Amino acid sequence: MSLSDQKLGDQRQLAYVAAQAADARVNVELEAEGMTLNIGPQHPATHGTLRIIVRLDGEQVIDADPVLGYMHRGYEKLTEVRTYPQVTTLINRIDWVGSFANEVPFILAAEQLMEIEAPARAQWIRTILFEMGRIANIVLFLGDMGVQLGAVTPMFYALRDRELILNQIEAATGGRFHPNFDRIGGVKDDLPAGWIAETKVALDKIRDFCDEVETLIVGNEIFEERTRGIGVIPADVGLSYGMTGANIRASGVDWDLRRDNPAGLPYDKVDWKVWTHPDGDSFARYWVRLQEVRESCSIVEQLLDSMPAGPIMAKVPRIIKVPEGEAYVATENPLGHMGYYVVSKGGLEPFRVKIRSASFSNMSITPWLLKGTYVPDVITILASLYFILGDLDR
Amino acid sequence: MPSADTEPSEVEPQSTPVDEAREALVESLRVELGPDLLQTHVAPGVDVWARVANDAWSTACNFLKNAQNYGFFDFLSAVDWLPSPYGRSHEAEVDVHLGSAESPSESWDSTIVTGYGGGETRFQALARVYSLSSHMGINLKADIDESMQIETIVDHYPGAAWHERECYEMFGIEFVGHEKLRNIYLPTGFEGNPLRKDYPLLARLIKPWPGIVDVEPMPEVAAPSLKNPDAEGTQP
Amino acid sequence: MSLLAIELAYWQITVIKLVFSIVAVLIPAGATVYLYLFKMVSFMQSRLGPMEAGPFGSLQLLAELGKSAQKEDIFPEKADRYVYAFAPYVVIVSSFLLVLVVPFGPNAMFANYDTGIFFALGVSSLSVIGILMAGWASASKYSMLGGLRAAGQLIAYELPMILAVVGVVIQAGTMNMQGIVTAQIEGEIFGMGALGNPFILTQFMGFLIFMVAVQAELTQTPFDMPIAESELVTGYMTEYSGFRFLMFFIGEFATANIFAFIASTLFLGGWSVPPFVTDMIGIEADSAWFDLLGPGVMAVKMLAITFVIYWVRFTYPRFREDQLQRLAWKLLIPLALVNIVATAVLKVVFV
C-alpha cells in the first residue's frame, strides 16, 4: 500500500467516523427536548460571522448561546507592537461603518496622557467627522432593520443617501471607510474648499431620508406589530450588562456621553437634545436611532456654521512618546460607548490597550434577552440591538 | 447647551487639585473594605483608581453597585505587567535576535512595574464601573497571584460574564464561580493565553516590523533615514 | 378553433394546447419578472436594474436561465434524494394545472369544466405538497421550518380565498369560469349595462380578500415567512441550486401570473371588454374575434393585478407567523363570511 493510498484510507476512515458521530448527534437531538438551530456563522441576519446556537421548541427559543470569535483579529495584542500613530490605522477597522469614531477615543486617551490639547478647529473637525461617521453608521441601520423585517426597499434608500455622507468623508479625509485622519494633537488636514456647502446639501438629503424612513417604516403597521413589545430591556438590567448608546437610551436612560462627558469635544457649544424612549423595545431602539440621525445632522450643521479659525495641530513632537500613566477615555460612538483603557510605560507604543467596544457589551445581553422569543423575533432583536461584527469581535 | 447639567469634562483638569467627589468615593470604599482597600490613586477631575485585595474583589463590586449606585458595568479585563521579553518588535536592527526564536535578549529587564494603584503581582484584574447619578467611573484593580484565581462578579454585574470569559482565555485567569467559563473568541483547545506578554506575536517574530522607519521623507527632501543615519537618503 | 374554420384532429388540438399552455405559463412569467421584478422594482428602489444583457437588460432572463442551467445540481448528503429531486416538479405542475381552466376567449381555453373555479382552488393547494416535500427532503432545519411555515400559512389562507370566491359564484350563479365571464358581460348594475358588471364593483370586499389571500398563497411579502431571507435563509429553497431552484422560481412567478389571470376572470371580466366598447367597435362579445383579442385583454388585466402584487411585495415588511394566522382567522374569514351572507341576501332580494 502506497503512502497516498494509506492516506486515502485514513480519510475514508475519518469520514466514516464523522458520519457515525453526526448520526449519533441527530439521534441524541431527536430524543432531547427541542431542536438545535445554528443561526450563523453564515446567515443573512448576522451581517457577518456571528453564530447563535438556539434551542428551539417549535419556533420558540428555549436557550440561546452566541458564539463569537469568527472574526477576532486580536487588536489588543497588535496595538502593543505599534506606535501610537500606527494604532489608529488598526482601530479604524473595529466598527467599520462609522470608522472615524473609532479613532477619536484612542487619540483623546493618548492626548490625555500626554497632556496635549488639540486646537479648537481640530476639535471641531473631529466632532464633525465623528458625527458624520455616526450618520453613515446609523443610516445603514435604518435601512438594514427594514431588510431584517422583510422590507427590502428602505435599504436601497439608505445605501443611496449614505453614499453622500461617505463622499463627504472621503473628500475631507481621503478614505471612505477608513479615514485614519485623527492625529495626536489635532487632525491630519484642514477641510477642503467648498466642503462645508457640499456637506450641508448632503445633510439635507439625509434629513429627507429620515422623513422617508419615518413614513415607510416607522409609520408602517406591520413594522409596529413586529417590533412593539419585542425584546424589552429594563433600564437597570441593560446597565448591569454594560449596554450603552441608543440601546440604553431606548430604555429610558437619559445618558449620552456627548453631553455628560464630552472629553473635550465641543458638544457643549451646540444646541441639541438627547432622545430617549420609555419603552425599551425594538421599536424604541429604532425610533431613538432615527431621531439621533436628525440630531446629528443638526449638530454637524451648527458646528459647520460656528467653525473657528486657527491651526489644526497642536505642537507635538515628531516622534510621539507617551508619558507613563493610565487613562480611560470613552466616547459616545454610533453603536454605544467605545472606550480605550491605555496603559503607557513611556514608550513609543502602548503597553496595554483594552478596547471596550460597544457591540460586545450590548450583545452580551442576548442570552438573557432571547429566551422565550420566537425565531422571527430573534432576528428583530438582533437587528434592533445593532451590532457590527468588527465591533463585536475586535 | 445640552439640557442636563454637565459634568466637568475628562480631559481638562480642574483648577483645584482636590477632587472632592472622588475623594469621598475613595473614603467610602475605605470605610467599607477596611484593610482590603490596598491603594488608591485619584487623578483630580479625571478618574480614580482603587486596588483592592483579591478576596475583596466581589465585595467591592457589590458595595459599589448596591450601596454607591454604580449600576453601569463598563468593562473587565486584566493587565500583564511583565515587560515583553520579545522587545518592542519594532526596529529590525535593534531587535534582530527576534528572527531566531531565541529566548529574551540580555537587555531584557523583567522587573515588574505596575501602574496607578500599585501592586506586586504580575497580573492584575481591572474592572471599571460607572455611576449614572454622579457621572463618575472608578477603575478597580486586584492583584492576582500564582494561583491565577479571582472571584467572579457576574452575580453583581451579569455583563461581566463575557468579559470574564475573554479575560480567562486571554490571560488564563480563572474566575471562581463563573458557570460557563470557557473560551469566547478563541477556538476550544487553543493553547496559550495570547495577551500575556510572554506569548509571542509570531507574525512579528518571523518578520519584524520596520517600526518608526516608515516615516518616509519626501522625495526631494531626502532626509537621512532614522534606521541608518549614516546613509544618505537615496530614493529608489 | 372555429375561427380558422379548420377541423383538427384530436392529437393536433392536444399538441396546440400543450404548446399554448407552456406559452401561457412561461411568457407571462418572463414578462412580469422582467417588467416588475427587474425593472419596476429597481426604479422604486432608485437603481437601474439589469442594463447589460440586451437593450435595457431585456435579455437578462435568458442569461439567468443559462446561468442556472449551468450550475451544479447539488443534493445535500442527508437529503431524501427522490423526494428532493421531485419537489420542484410538483410545484411547477400546480401552476400548469391552474392555467387549464383559465378562459382566454370564448373558445380559447384549455378545458371548460363546469366547476372550473373549484378545480382551480383545488389544484392551487398542490404546490403546498411540493413545498412540504422540499422542506422535508432537504434535511436542513431551515428548509424544514420554512416548509412547515408554508404549510400552515397556505392552509390558513386557502379558506379566505375560497370564501371570497363563493361570493362571486353566488352572484354569477355558476362555477364555470366561462360562465362567470359571461355573467359579467351580461350583468347590469342598476339597469345600466354599459360597463357590464365586473364583479370587482359588487364584490369589492371579495376582491380585496382574494388578493390578500393570493399574496399569502404566493408567499410574497408581507406573507413571505416560508422564505424569510433574514430568518430562514430562503426557507424550503435553501438547499436547492441550479435548475431545480430555477423551477421553484418559475413556479413562484408563474403562479403569481395565473392567480392574476384567475382574479381578472373572477373580478375584472376576464377576456371580455365592457359592452360599450364592443358596441363601439361593432363586434359581438362572444364572437370568435375575442379568441384572438382575449389573450391580449387578459394580459393587460393580469399586468395590472401583478403590478399591485409586486408593489406590495417590495413595500411592506413581513408579518410574524402568529400575526399572519391571526389576520386570516380573525379578520379575513369573518369578513368573507359577512360578504357571502350579504351577497346571498342581495341576490335573493334583487333577483
Side-chain angles (χ1 to χ4, degrees), chain A residues 218-265:
Chain A
V218 179
N220 187 302
E221 294 81 4
I222 300 175
F223 180 80
E224 280 205 31
E225 281 268 296
R226 285 292 308 278
T227 52
R228 288 259 190 211
I230 302 298
V232 179
I233 302 171
D236 56 333
V237 176
L239 285 173
S240 65
Y241 271 100
M243 182 165 274
T244 48
N247 290 331
I248 200 72
R249 282 194 287 279
S251 298
V253 178
D254 186 17
W255 181 30
D256 194 320
L257 281 188
R258 288 178 286 173
R259 182 192 66 200
D260 300 328
N261 268 332
L265 300 176

Side-chain angles (χ1 to χ4, degrees), chain A residues 155-234:
Chain A
M155 186 66 180
F156 290 97
Y157 296 159
L159 291 173
R160 176 193 68 193
D161 292 337
R162 180 172 180 261
E163 199 65 20
L164 302 168
I165 293 293
L166 291 181
N167 285 344
Q168 288 314 104
I169 293 178
E170 185 186 13
T173 66
R176 284 159 59 78
F177 288 138
H178 303 302
N180 194 20
F181 192 65
D182 213 354
R183 297 284 185 271
I184 293 171
V187 289
K188 180 172 172 286
D189 274 318
D190 211 334
L191 296 175
W195 193 82
I196 291 179
E198 279 174 32
T199 307
K200 282 183 177 168
V201 174
L203 290 177
D204 283 339
K205 287 269 169 58
I206 294 292
R207 286 211 181 91
D208 291 348
F209 166 77
C210 289
D211 297 340
E212 210 164 20
V213 159
E214 187 140 37
T215 44
L216 254 180
I217 295 188
V218 179
N220 187 302
E221 294 81 4
I222 300 175
F223 180 80
E224 280 205 31
E225 281 268 296
R226 285 292 308 278
T227 52
R228 288 259 190 211
I230 302 298
V232 179
I233 302 171

